[in-house]
Amino acid sequence: MTPILDNISKIVDLTSDEEQRLLSKLETKQFKAKSIILNAGEVCQYSYFVNSGLLRSFTINDHIVEHVLSFACEGWWIGDMYSLLSQKPGNLFVEVLEDAEVVLLSKENQEILYQEIPKLERFFRILTENSLVANQERLMDNMSLSAEERYEKFCKKYPTLIQKVSQKQIASYIGVTPEFFSKMKSKLLRK
């Protein structure tokens, strides 16, 4: 079975005909590290599923500081949900951090599949709900936990990312400057 079918089967069961119909609506692409597959200001046309590799979504503020919103490794989805759903220009960049194979599901094909395979509408509703819960939890953590606590939580939640993602990007994800992060890590190592 393909990784995307494995991912979907965790939530809904598709028949083999439904699986084939879904696969016919997908496009798989190879991307090199450092490729930007979505730019801020563009309308997001795809949901991206990572077969292999590592991606991140981020924004850049007026002071040219990057803020990492999310990472996506094998078996994860990524995109600019605001732009995809509203079909308005988004604020996020999606960058390939290490060579990746990514499955693209266009907004148009996703809508067609909702009509043809209603189970997929349920799948994406649950995926969206899980994303909403995770984002709310992260927002609450950013308001109530210290930087050290946020870093510890990141390490527990994403142990495989610690070695794959730069310290600067981890700092951005937990909401601190790289300089503060470096001092904080030194302090934690001394404990």
Side-chain angles (χ1 to χ4, degrees):
M1 193 176 278
T2 68
I4 195 166
L5 292 178
D6 289 341
N7 181 263
I8 291 170
S9 72
K10 292 175 186 171
I11 297 175
V12 297
D13 291 321
L14 300 178
T15 67
S16 40
D17 286 345
E18 290 169 335
E19 287 176 353
Q20 291 311 307
R21 184 70 184 140
L22 167 64
L23 293 174
S24 75
K25 296 288 187 187
L26 303 175
E27 182 181 354
T28 302
K29 287 189 173 183
Q30 306 291 327
F31 293 100
K32 292 286 183 197
K34 299 186 181 179
S35 300
I36 300 290
I37 62 174
L38 179 65
N39 283 291
E42 296 176 352
V43 175
C44 183
Q45 297 298 327
Y46 299 97
S47 294
Y48 303 99
F49 178 82
V50 183
N51 273 345
S52 64
L54 179 63
L55 284 71
R56 74 173 174 139
S57 66
F58 66 99
T59 188
I60 300 175
N61 71 14
D62 293 339
H63 304 290
I64 314 186
V65 175
E66 291 183 5
H67 297 281
V68 176
L69 183 68
S70 64
F71 296 102
C73 54
E74 183 177 323
W76 294 8
W77 293 85
I78 195 167
D80 185 331
M81 190 180 293
Y82 162 78
S83 179
L84 183 70
L85 295 176
S86 70
Q87 287 297 282
K88 294 179 181 175
N91 299 313
L92 296 179
F93 294 87
V94 176
E95 178 187 22
V96 178
L97 296 178
E98 62 182 38
D99 291 356
E101 180 179 86
V102 180
V103 177
L104 286 69
L105 173 58
S106 72
K107 171 78 170 155
E108 179 183 342
N109 282 339
Q110 192 170 348
E111 293 296 331
I112 291 168
L113 287 167
Y114 286 167
Q115 297 300 313
E116 295 178 358
I117 310 170
K119 290 180 236 180
L120 289 176
E121 191 165 29
R122 179 174 188 270
F123 170 79
F124 282 103
R125 176 185 52 81
I126 291 170
L127 195 67
T128 303
E129 289 171 352
N130 290 342
S131 175
L132 178 63
V133 167
N135 283 320
Q136 181 175 329
E137 180 181 15
R138 184 161 170 226
L139 180 62
M140 296 299 291
D141 288 349
N142 284 341
M143 292 189 300
S144 61
L145 299 180
S146 70
E148 287 178 2
E149 291 169 322
R150 292 193 307 271
Y151 177 62
E152 288 170 2
K153 193 167 185 176
F154 176 86
C155 292
K156 286 179 187 166
K157 194 169 186 176
Y158 307 113
T160 59
L161 292 182
I162 298 165
Q163 303 304 319
K164 293 182 170 195
V165 176
S166 75
Q167 300 294 298
K168 180 180 177 184
Q169 292 169 358
I170 294 172
S172 174
Y173 182 86
I174 66 170
V176 297
T177 65
E179 297 79 16
F180 180 89
F181 184 72
S182 181
K183 290 175 187 172
M184 181 187 76
K185 274 193 71 182
S186 294
K187 182 180 160 189
L188 288 172
L189 290 172
R190 286 193 303 263
K191 283 186 178 180

